[in-house]
Amino acid sequence: MPETSGFGAGAAEVLEADVVVIGGGPAGEVVAGRCADRGLGTVLVESELVGGECSYWGCIPSKTLVRPGDVLAAARRVPGAAAAVRGSLDVAAALARRDYMTSGWKDDAQERWLADHGVRLLRGAGRLAGSRRVTVDGGRTVSARRAVVLATGSGPVIPPVPGLADVRPWDNRAATAAKEVPSRLLVLGGGAVGLELAQAFRRLGSEEVTVVEGGPRLLLREEPFAGEQVRAALEDEGIRIRVDTLLAAAQRDGADGPVRATLSTGEQVSADEVLVAVGRKPRTADLGLETVGLTPGRPVAVDDRLQVIGVPDGWLFAVGDCTGLAPFTHMGKYQARVAADVLTGRDTRDRASRHAVPRVTFTDPQVCAVGRTAAEAAEQGLAVRVIDVDTGEVPGSYVLGEDQIGTTRLVVDSDREVLVGVTITGSGVQELLHSATIAVAAGLPLAELQHAVPAFPTVAEVWLHALEAAGF
């Protein structure tokens, strides 16, 4: 491309661009596309599939696998429809749908999207090589006139349990790309990933599913009632839950035989596959951070303009999971929009990543939350008032069917009478979360929220119940 388009060739065939983005996941795509749309010559460096973890091995395939079981469970709660639900799920069709949703693990469409936006794609692993310079596999070097943006995401943590590595455990990638449903599945980790896939595989036909969580309850980062409600639902479906328990050792019989797992309690569990979902870590170990005075392997600390702290002249930015701020696809894309605004001269700040992070655990019941839990708010010195109401006690919930359980919690800063956190549990309540996110992010007073009237009969009427309980 001619230099007038934002690209150029310098000495020793060094490619020059205005902005270089390392990592082509959702966050990297957004920042690259927005910068290019606004006239900056932009290079995107990606070693795997453009679209990243979420598109091919995370959010999209996992929720696609969750969906068939959710639909059947919802139908079984509706008198008149329940009688029509017979037989088992079509596993082959469910896996085929997953393949379709991941584009067969090909990124041709994303490559075309980049080209349409004028982003130049370099295939290979990108590493920092000093100020404003990036090296790419094959000896190529790119020099950034304006900025380098790190968007390298995160990878799974595999704990150092004796024998675990030898049994070839599943991580999220292996689980969401599975070609068949294991008869017996052992899940390590009681967070969102582990619980979603545990329930999905149970509903797809796994005969035995066991979840092992090292902490005292499931969903440790959420309100205690959320983990309790999910646990009760999973156990009702025949999933075994073990808390305050760790994997002590694992061994596979032969090349493809069953896994014999020993838990810290002494219990023995046999499984065909072991899914490790105990957490993720930023992909920063081999990123060349040491060349700019940063420590490899750690989250990249950023300010509210997404500029990396500790790097002079403000040329290095980071967005998404590699920052350690809010490891969710939607937050990475939000940070990417903020970074692109800053890079193109707009006075924008990140106001959400530390105090208004929305999150959904796509179990049945779902757990939807934004902002702080009651405990977090109290630990931060806020004067906390908690309002709890039943999510299912509105006409809109009864319309959806029987046994609509769940809780809606408002966490109120009593000094300001504004919401600092909301948690909503129930079946299919994810679409209620954005209204809560607006309230928390904008700091809307409770007195004003009473004038936002939910339509009848919708589950959103739970807001009326909660505000009435709060005295409005």
Side-chain angles (χ1 to χ4, degrees):
M1 291 184 176
E3 190 164 356
T4 55
S5 65
F7 299 95
E13 296 302 319
V14 173
L15 177 65
E16 295 181 351
D18 295 318
V19 176
V20 181
V21 181
I22 305 178
E29 284 184 299
V30 169
V31 71
R34 286 171 77 91
C35 285
D37 287 346
R38 296 174 185 175
L40 297 183
T42 305
V43 168
L44 178 68
V45 182
E46 174 54 55
S47 61
E48 294 187 296
L49 297 176
V50 177
E53 195 81 21
C54 178
S55 299
Y56 303 102
W57 304 287
C59 314
I60 298 301
S62 66
K63 278 49 176 183
T64 302
L65 292 175
V66 163
R67 180 62 176 163
D70 273 356
V71 171
L72 285 185
R76 290 185 177 116
R77 296 187 184 108
V78 180
V85 181
R86 298 184 176 89
S88 57
L89 285 170
D90 185 338
V91 174
L95 297 182
R97 175 68 175 175
R98 181 273 320 271
D99 294 350
Y100 169 79
M101 292 294 291
T102 58
S103 301
W105 292 277
K106 296 179 182 178
D107 62 357
D108 299 3
Q110 297 309 108
E111 193 173 85
R112 290 192 297 272
W113 184 90
L114 292 177
D116 289 344
H117 286 264
V119 178
R120 181 165 179 173
L121 173 63
L122 295 182
R123 297 279 186 178
R127 298 182 80 254
L128 293 171
S131 180
R132 291 182 169 85
R133 291 175 76 87
V134 174
T135 60
V136 185
D137 288 346
R140 293 164 292 176
T141 300
V142 190
S143 177
R145 286 187 286 263
R146 184 168 300 192
V148 174
V149 183
L150 307 179
T152 52
S154 62
V157 172
I158 306 297
V161 175
L164 180 59
D166 295 332
V167 306
R168 304 183 306 282
W170 280 1
D171 57 13
N172 66 288
R173 290 191 172 197
T176 57
K179 299 301 182 184
E180 58 185 28
V181 175
S183 177
R184 298 170 298 178
L185 178 64
L186 173 62
V187 178
L188 305 182
V193 174
L195 298 182
E196 287 175 5
L197 290 174
Q199 189 174 45
F201 278 108
R202 174 63 174 162
R203 289 176 165 184
L204 286 168
S206 290
E207 297 173 5
E208 295 180 12
V209 177
T210 303
V211 175
V212 175
E213 165 57 45
R217 57 184 174 84
L218 303 182
L219 298 176
L220 280 169
R221 297 182 180 180
E222 304 298 350
E223 298 283 8
F225 69 80
E228 293 165 4
Q229 291 175 10
V230 172
R231 177 175 182 168
L234 297 186
E235 288 181 331
D236 282 347
E237 295 186 22
I239 297 173
R240 298 184 295 183
I241 307 294
R242 304 289 184 265
V243 296
D244 284 321
T245 303
L246 299 171
L247 177 68
Q251 180 179 346
R252 189 180 289 276
D253 293 338
D256 299 307
V259 174
R260 290 180 286 126
T262 302
L263 307 186
S264 57
T265 58
E267 181 181 359
Q268 301 288 316
V269 177
S270 295
D272 299 296
E273 300 294 349
V274 178
L275 167 59
V276 179
V278 298
R280 298 180 68 80
K281 58 184 177 182
R283 285 198 179 103
T284 62
D286 190 26
L287 196 50
L289 293 180
E290 68 280 0
T291 69
V292 294
L294 302 177
T295 303
R298 293 184 180 178
V300 182
V302 294
D303 61 18
D304 62 0
R305 291 164 61 89
L306 283 308
Q307 290 173 302
V308 176
I309 296 171
V311 176
D313 300 327
W315 61 270
L316 186 60
F317 290 69
V319 296
D321 287 12
C322 70
T323 68
L325 271 180
F328 301 95
T329 296
H330 46 279
M331 294 308 298
K333 293 168 73 172
Y334 162 74
Q335 292 165 10
R337 293 192 293 271
V338 172
D341 281 353
V342 173
L343 280 166
T344 54
R346 303 186 183 190
D347 187 18
T348 308
R349 297 290 189 275
D350 177 355
R351 293 172 49 194
S353 295
R354 291 169 176 83
H355 303 301
V357 178
R359 53 208 182 265
V360 180
T361 300
F362 287 84
T363 46
D364 183 12
Q366 290 179 348
V367 177
C368 307
V370 61
R372 305 166 177 90
T373 63
E376 289 170 342
E379 288 169 4
Q380 293 170 14
L382 299 179
V384 176
R385 182 159 61 106
V386 175
I387 294 98
D388 287 344
V389 296
D390 290 337
T391 308
E393 289 298 314
V394 293
S397 289
Y398 289 117
V399 169
L400 294 180
E402 299 175 335
D403 301 322
Q404 298 294 321
I405 63 169
T407 301
T408 295
R409 168 168 290 185
L410 308 186
V411 180
V412 181
D413 177 349
S414 297
D415 290 338
R416 295 182 296 141
E417 281 296 292
V418 300
L419 293 177
V420 294
V422 177
T423 298
I424 305 171
T425 62
S427 298
V429 293
Q430 75 270 23
E431 300 301 341
L432 295 180
L433 184 59
H434 193 56
S435 55
T437 302
I438 292 170
V440 172
L444 295 174
L446 293 185
E448 295 299 322
L449 288 178
Q450 66 177 320
H451 301 296
V453 182
F456 181 88
T458 64
V459 183
E461 277 198 302
V462 72
W463 279 100
L464 293 183
H465 287 215
L467 290 170
E468 288 171 357
F472 294 93

